[in-house]
Amino acid sequence: MDVSGLVEALGATRVDGHFVDAWSLAATEARRMTLGTKDSRTGSPHAPLALSESLTARVKIVWSDGRISRGALDRRQIVQDAAAALRATRASSYDDPDARLVLGPAAFPDVRVFDAATDALAAGALEPLASRLAAIRGRVAAHGFRTWSGSLQAARATARVVTSEGLDAATLGTSWSWHASFDGEIGTGFAARSQDDEPAFHARLDRAVPAALALRADASSRAGGVVPVLLHPDVVEEFVIAALLHNLDGAAVAHGTGAFRRDQFQTRAAVLREDLTLRHDPLVPLASGAYRFTQEGLPARPVTFIEAGRLVSPLLDLKYARRLELPPTPPPSAIDTVFLEGPPPLEYAAACAAAAGGALVLGVLGVHTQDFTSGDFSMSAPQTVALGPRGFEGRLRATISGNLFGILRSPQLRLVAFPGEHTPGLLVPIRLDPV
Amino acid sequence: MFLDTLTSLDTVAAALVERARVRGAYLIWRAQERSCARVLVRSGRVEEMATSVSSGHGIHVVDEHGGVALASRDDFHDGPALALLDRALESAALAHRLGVPPAFLSGLTPESARLIPAGLDAYERLEPSRAAARLAELEAEIAARAPGLTTTLALSTDLDAWRVVRSDGADVTWIMPRCVLRFSASSRGAARHTVGASVSGPTPDLLDDPGKIATFLTRAATAARLAAALPDAPNHPAGSFPLVIDYALAKGLAHEAFGHASEADGFRSSVLARDGRFRSGDTVGAAHVSIVDEPVAGDHAWQPYSASGVRRERATIVDHGRLADALTDPWSAPLAGARLTNADRAESFRVAPLPRMSNIRIELEGARPAAGAFEDYGPAEVRELLAEAGVLARHPEVVFLSGYSGGQVNPTTGDFVFNCKAIYTLGARGIRLHKPAIFSGSMFGALHAIREGFGPLLLDAIGTCGKWGQSVPSSGGSHYFLVLDPAPTVRLGGR
């Protein structure tokens, strides 16, 4: 990746008598292959085989008068128009004493983020995809699904961080992901920096089928009320962990727009049940969220946000670390390096039995409409399966409501190990109203 | 100057069209240049001022056997562009081995046009530091009206320019300008709530537009007061109730409940299609209800041409209760058995366009008048409106959902949800505020439940639609207020 023109321009830029005092740039050069399937039509015009090449850079400039500029540049600006692009950023400079820090060299941890086979896919070697598509189509035919949609994606990307303080680090990584949903309702998928092997791929597909089939039967005669509800790991990731991370964001903490206050971190306030922990480890080899350094040049390291139910650290970039006078934290970039942990989890089958009379919520609609700050939630759960003494009893269209923090402090909360899932499910009494 | 880059690409465009012709392929070439800026002020202080530029081109090819591929790159050099075209054609050929069926494209009328809206010089005049100072002034004014909250103001500007060239000689260039002024307020107590408000316009001049700013300040102050009041508000019970929704929620209903299901790329699974064909003529709602989608000049989601370079048409999705038009593109229209409405949009040059909504609205024949501006109507005024129209005689208590805060749909099942900013119960016992709750149900039930409308059409409810992972601006509205009779398939969540 050649960013020499941009680096040279950073050293030479002067605007109205002001020069660049310090700078950092994070550049990514990527190549990506995507093959989509929409309504059973693989590679249709709406989900075609797509190849893309890109070079982008995020730049932070600290001017000689202390003002800050931030910008995102594309390949054309990086390669051809760097000087003009940098001069233009001066017009949008602003005072922000907390944002002036630029990092120097550091020791970066080794973590495996590259896989040669995935790299070949990203270059357009499509043959390995044939068996995956055949496997999905086979399940669709065998179980009588009307349609399926999904995608297979591979990419390679070089990430490089360069700063005026002498930091210059680069990593070549790959990524692989796939997703398939049946009848537009229930899906499954996988993402990592290397491909899942074929047996794991088949097993994951097979695990998705029973729930999809269970939705065909009707269990709408159930009454509403507070019942044992088993939240699928997809729901836990999309709602529970997303809401916690939103409230842990340093900007939200510093500005008082999140659920957690600054002083609560100083006092290690108890915000969840005393046996729950939320942490991030970007050093898991070949995990989708694995990396060696952040875009600011911060070395990757494990971080604990909530330990034994108590606040430990917000998610802090350099700016908000300085403002809150705490060490910066490498942020999660994918869910597979975020760990919600607690007491030994119930096995999935035992959890289903324990939830008899309640329901398994496989998916929810409307997560993005919720007020994460208050923790109050009211969501539609059209993909819900009623659970009875003999297991699945059919589909239950429902709404679920309550307060997230109330759930995570409930003595009745149990973590549940779903086969093949990184994140635990949650079993807890929740208000569930069939529609 | 706004189109200097895109209009300088004649050589590369011609070379790509010629290479495609030689190789027996049909080309739709999309070049895009997009410049965005954002200024964010919190508690009187600039917290962020950032700019971004992205440009590049996408090569969408159909080979002689109907194989389709898309390749993209973020520069406009001839050599890499031609190499990319070759790679795309090789990939289209390879795709046949993976069971990719051939694609068929509707015949398109080639047009050569350039469309630049007036007033774009305001983008050149925009001084971010002055904009930041103006945001701080506005924030102070809002704080004076509704004190004691943590507030954020942000101005986002977006100049999105496209050029589409096709093998058949079409060559269309246009710019979509967008600016949004957003506000959010968070209460400071132990139980915190956040409520937002916004106004939009085509240029950054909206910061100095007295009318827009007056509307913004009213909306922001209302949001701030709600943020302060919601922590103490009770939850509303779940169930089916007589409902009043405002025009922004009506936009959500139109967008989530009907718009997505009418997008023809999903007709193998949509509830509005049968065996892949649009159910044109089927009755889906009350006879006085229509749903219309079309680009509106100056609007947040305005897009005059499709991503295939054809003028976008008005689509009457529901015409007096019956399905009429689908949202189609050249690929889906022939398969859907529906009229081509040129509804394809793309987030960027990198992705395949999809049939999408632009500005969608619910229109009611015989809507009753509502005097004044929408912002004049708080819950008390809405209750008065309903009482005068006899709605409260029909339903002693009505649940008023106020303010849209996003939605989602499953077009396969017709299940939709959207959320509001607040719930008020309006009735003889007075007016009571409740915390927001999800509004969910079946699209058919909702459209049949619409009974009355009040006020003129207001179409400035904005949002972002995230279909298939692509974010594009959306907008729409309806009459100021719609009344929905209770329906078993339409429910308010709650606790």
Side-chain angles (χ1 to χ4, degrees), chain B residues 25-44:
Chain B
Y26 186 87
L27 169 71
I28 303 176
W29 182 68
R30 301 182 188 92
Q32 182 191 20
E33 183 171 39
R34 187 173 185 184
S35 307
C36 301
R38 178 172 142 96
V39 181
L40 187 143
V41 169
R42 276 195 176 119
S43 306

Side-chain angles (χ1 to χ4, degrees), chain B residues 37-41 130-139 142 152-158 178-184 196-220 300 421 460 462:
Chain B
R38 178 172 142 96
V39 181
L40 187 143
V41 169
R130 190 185 153 272
R134 180 74 176 126
L135 294 185
E137 283 172 16
L138 294 172
E139 189 183 39
I142 297 162
T152 303
L153 270 84
L155 175 72
S156 306
T157 69
D158 183 352
R178 309 174 194 113
C179 290
V180 183
L181 180 56
R182 287 191 172 85
F183 168 80
S184 75
S198 66
V199 294
S200 65
T203 73
D205 282 348
L206 70 84
L207 277 180
D208 299 312
D209 178 333
K212 287 269 188 197
I213 292 302
T215 300
F216 177 71
L217 290 172
T218 304
R219 291 180 182 180
H300 182 64
K421 293 173 183 169
D460 67 355
I462 63 167

Side-chain angles (χ1 to χ4, degrees), chain A residues 46 74-75 323 397 401, chain B residues 33 47 55 74 329 415 494:
Chain A
H46 301 112
D74 67 1
R75 184 192 299 270
R323 187 168 297 181
R397 292 178 194 279
S401 55
Chain B
E33 183 171 39
E47 288 293 348
S55 62
D74 47 1
D329 65 0
D415 295 312

Side-chain angles (χ1 to χ4, degrees), chain A residues 183-196:
Chain A
D183 286 347
E185 298 224 67
I186 290 299
T188 186
F190 175 79
R193 290 189 170 273
S194 66
Q195 296 171 74
D196 45 349

Side-chain angles (χ1 to χ4, degrees), chain B residues 58 91 103 150 183 187 207 227 305 348 434 453 470:
Chain B
S91 298
T150 303
F183 168 80
S187 44
L207 277 180
Y305 288 94
S348 87
H434 298 263
Q470 290 189 41

Side-chain angles (χ1 to χ4, degrees), chain A residues 111-113 193 279-291 336-339 422:
Chain A
V111 56
R112 192 176 164 205
V113 293
R193 290 189 170 273
R279 65 183 180 87
H280 168 225
D281 184 359
L283 302 179
V284 178
L286 292 176
S288 195
Y291 59 82
D336 63 351
T337 54
V338 178
F339 297 84
H422 161 79

